[in-house]
Amino acid sequence: MNMRQLKAFMAVAQTLSFAEASKKIFISQPALSLAIKNLEESVGGRLLIRTTRAVSLTAEGKTLYEKGRRLVDEWDAMEEEMRQLFRLERGMVSVAAMPSFAASQLPEVIALFRHKYPVINVQIHDVIAEETVEMVRSGKVELGVTFMPPGMADIDGFTKLARDEFVSVIPVGHPLSNRETVSWSELLESDFIALQRPSMVRMLVEKTLSDAGIELDVTFDSHQLATVGRMVSNGLGVSVVPALCVQQMEQLGAKVVPIHSPTVSCDLGVLTNQKDQLSVPAQAMFDVLMKFYSVNANSES
Amino acid sequence: MNMRQLKAFMAVAQTLSFAEASKKIFISQPALSLAIKNLEESVGGRLLIRTTRAVSLTAEGKTLYEKGRRLVDEWDAMEEEMRQLFRLERGMVSVAAMPSFAASQLPEVIALFRHKYPVINVQIHDVIAEETVEMVRSGKVELGVTFMPPGMADIDGFTKLARDEFVSVIPVGHPLSNRETVSWSELLESDFIALQRPSMVRMLVEKTLSDAGIELDVTFDSHQLATVGRMVSNGLGVSVVPALCVQQMEQLGAKVVPIHSPTVSCDLGVLTNQKDQLSVPAQAMFDVLMKFYSVNANSES
DNA sequence: CACACTTACGATATTCGTAAGGATT
DNA sequence: AATCCTTACGAATATCGTAAGTGTG
């Protein structure tokens, strides 16, 4: 007994005619006849009663028809679903991203992805950088977008998207707000607004400054980048954020100025769990991310 | 995609090894390899990740494994059930029988059937003769055992089992109780106990007597043959029943004596719905019935 | 080198379509 | 005679097993 035979039987059971059924399933009528014969031999008895003028089901045939209908439907649904999965006409991809990325570039990336694959669902986990790593490692998500801290650079499954140079965020009207660049020492003459720990951005800033022997005095801190931006634009002080967030900060009404001495920089990239191969939708999302940054890089050069 | 390929995939998914899986499903390992390859081509992408040392499932492979497990289980169950149906290792037969048969020979027949086919369930409908015919005609039961009234002899789907000559039932100690035979006129000198209408037995007795110009005066009547028998054995009167019921009447303590002038007789037989072929269990029951009566006929000759 | 999967290839089995046969209306 | 299913048979396709190939630990 095989699926072809069962489908042949179902077609005959529905039409009660070998001739019609054979057209329905696109085989010749003798081929159908043979398929039914073999099916009957396989199960050990008659399923159909053929008189020269009419075809009907035996009691056992009726049983098989009832059971078979569900099975064939499920089979076809499964087959179609598998094809859809590979054609990206169905499916889901789960992505974790650190807040500074989730709030800045990610919506654009998702819009691009969604435009290209309109029926693939995207599950975003907006979590701190450390948890992004953890979620990828544990398999809760397939992709994670985060900064790769310079120290732990040899985790495999990290693909660099771009190098990010941190920039200062300064209120409009502040003495430094129209400068081409500012130095840390100039910046720290104003009150400093930082992200609350634990935060990768906060950590990178602190580490760079402490390496350079500069002391950071944090006047205000907040969990949300948007709050930091708003505080700056209201003149409460200055801050430093990844270049990722330039647009966001400007929209919040603050000025953005590059910093030097020392620069704070970090690699932005995609994490994947190397022991699992990416699903088709995850690979597609990965490609969209890569393309997004390669296009951006080209436009900048 | 076909069932063989799916089963091959399930085996690999379970063992995570082509070599082991191939042993499990009794094909060579290259044949398995090819089956998986073809399955992957059919669905349009990779289901398994093969490194030289380990096999694992892709995300899509996991989906197929989950869906496929149910489907394969249901398939195997269906296949086995169909085979069991034809091997009479599963199934049911529904039989209608008129009360005089249901209460006399039927238990023996069922015991024989059950001994031969211990797992086939038997559904008995103990109904009056007219309803036996109706239940077969409407398909509620596959077989009906009843008398075929002489008038409507050309209903097809009737197979004669035996000719039944009605006998008189007489209390022990009654003047006629030790006779070889009795005539109707002798019998009707005593009070007559009959089955209540509607009853095929009652109808046959009345018809025969009225054809012979004999008037029947019914003193008592009852629905149940057992009650009639008990009433006779308690000396309330005499009755006439099908020869089928001889044993039952004797067990109830009455004497049974053949009658003549005129004899009442009728064909006992099996009704089937000619437009439906019998199911395997119904055919088996039919055969048991036929054998039961051919053996009985032989033993009497 | 050993192990595990893939590819190559000839043999076997299955399935197919065309043509002919048989039975019923 | 027309219709419908079955049988016959050669061709095409699929599947199989053996043997050789490939890549990794």
Side-chain angles (χ1 to χ4, degrees), chain A residues 2 4-5 26-28 30-31 38 52-53:
Chain A
N2 60 39
R4 194 178 37 78
Q5 289 168 345
F26 306 106
I27 62 171
S28 71
N38 290 336
T52 35
R53 225 44 174 185

Side-chain angles (χ1 to χ4, degrees), chain A:
Chain A
M1 180 160 169
N2 60 39
M3 189 50 76
R4 194 178 37 78
Q5 289 168 345
L6 180 60
K7 284 189 176 179
F9 169 74
M10 298 306 288
V12 178
Q14 276 163 13
T15 60
L16 295 178
S17 155
F18 278 64
E20 266 190 66
S22 67
K23 285 176 210 159
K24 195 171 168 178
I25 59 174
F26 306 106
I27 62 171
S28 71
Q29 191 255 24
L32 175 59
S33 208
L34 192 63
I36 298 293
K37 185 186 167 187
N38 290 336
L39 176 61
E40 286 181 327
E41 273 173 19
S42 151
V43 295
R46 286 275 175 185
L47 298 166
L48 296 168
I49 303 161
R50 295 86 136 168
T51 67
T52 35
R53 225 44 174 185
V55 174
S56 61
L57 296 171
T58 63
E60 294 77 20
K62 281 175 194 154
T63 301
L64 182 59
Y65 181 66
E66 292 306 319
K67 308 245 169 200
R69 192 158 46 180
R70 267 197 53 202
L71 215 53
V72 169
D73 288 348
E74 284 180 26
W75 176 273
D76 289 343
M78 182 180 78
E79 201 170 5
E80 182 54 20
E81 178 172 344
M82 292 310 297
R83 297 214 171 97
Q84 286 179 335
L85 286 177
F86 285 113
R87 285 196 309 244
L88 284 160
E89 290 170 4
R90 177 192 289 241
M92 195 263 287
V93 54
S94 52
V95 182
M98 62 175 181
S100 54
F101 183 76
S104 55
Q105 314 297 93
L106 185 59
E108 279 182 66
V109 173
I110 292 181
L112 265 174
F113 180 84
R114 190 74 182 175
H115 182 255
K116 203 163 175 183
Y117 310 109
V119 295
I120 304 294
N121 296 326
V122 182
Q123 199 172 80
I124 305 291
H125 296 262
D126 179 351
V127 295
I128 61 170
E130 283 82 356
E131 200 172 338
T132 299
V133 178
E134 170 55 25
M135 289 187 82
V136 171
R137 208 188 50 73
S138 68
K140 289 195 189 73
V141 296
E142 288 193 80
L143 300 174
V145 184
T146 187
F147 285 139
M148 172 59 75
M152 52 195 336
D154 54 351
I155 286 179
D156 72 358
F158 181 82
T159 306
K160 179 178 165 182
L161 290 172
R163 183 156 192 88
D164 192 288
E165 304 272 344
F166 283 30
V167 295
S168 64
V169 191
I170 298 170
V172 174
H174 186 280
L176 300 174
S177 66
N178 290 318
R179 293 277 293 277
E180 284 297 307
T181 64
V182 299
S183 71
W184 270 101
S185 52
E186 289 169 323
L187 203 60
L188 292 181
E189 287 166 10
S190 304
D191 286 341
F192 195 83
I193 306 167
L195 282 167
Q196 272 171 19
R197 278 185 289 255
S199 156
M200 176 73 79
V201 170
R202 170 76 174 260
M203 191 271 279
L204 286 165
V205 169
E206 286 181 340
K207 185 170 188 313
T208 307
L209 293 187
S210 85
D211 285 353
I214 302 172
E215 191 189 348
L216 179 65
D217 181 31
V218 173
T219 310
F220 304 109
D221 60 8
S222 160
H223 265 303
Q224 299 278 351
L225 266 168
T227 307
V228 170
R230 185 70 63 192
M231 288 169 85
V232 169
S233 67
N234 282 318
L236 293 175
V238 299
S239 187
V240 169
V241 301
L244 279 177
C245 305
V246 167
Q247 200 183 2
Q248 188 186 8
M249 291 297 123
E250 288 174 345
Q251 281 173 351
L252 290 170
K255 299 288 280 185
V256 171
V257 179
I259 24 178
H260 59 86
S261 323
T263 59
V264 183
S265 63
C266 193
D267 286 342
L268 177 75
V270 190
L271 284 170
T272 57
N273 193 334
Q274 282 302 80
K275 69 174 192 289
D276 293 343
Q277 188 171 293
L278 290 181
S279 70
V280 179
Q283 183 63 51
M285 178 62 85
F286 184 91
D287 293 344
V288 167
L289 274 165
M290 292 295 285
K291 189 175 177 193
F292 180 80
Y293 277 96
S294 69
V295 167
N296 276 20
N298 291 345
S299 68
E300 284 175 12
S301 66

Side-chain angles (χ1 to χ4, degrees), chain B residues 114-145:
Chain B
R114 190 74 182 175
H115 182 256
K116 205 162 174 184
Y117 310 109
V119 295
I120 305 294
N121 296 326
V122 182
Q123 198 172 81
I124 304 292
H125 296 262
D126 179 352
V127 294
I128 62 171
E130 284 83 355
E131 200 171 338
T132 299
V133 178
E134 170 54 24
M135 289 186 83
V136 171
R137 208 187 49 73
S138 68
K140 289 196 190 71
V141 296
E142 288 192 81
L143 299 174
V145 185

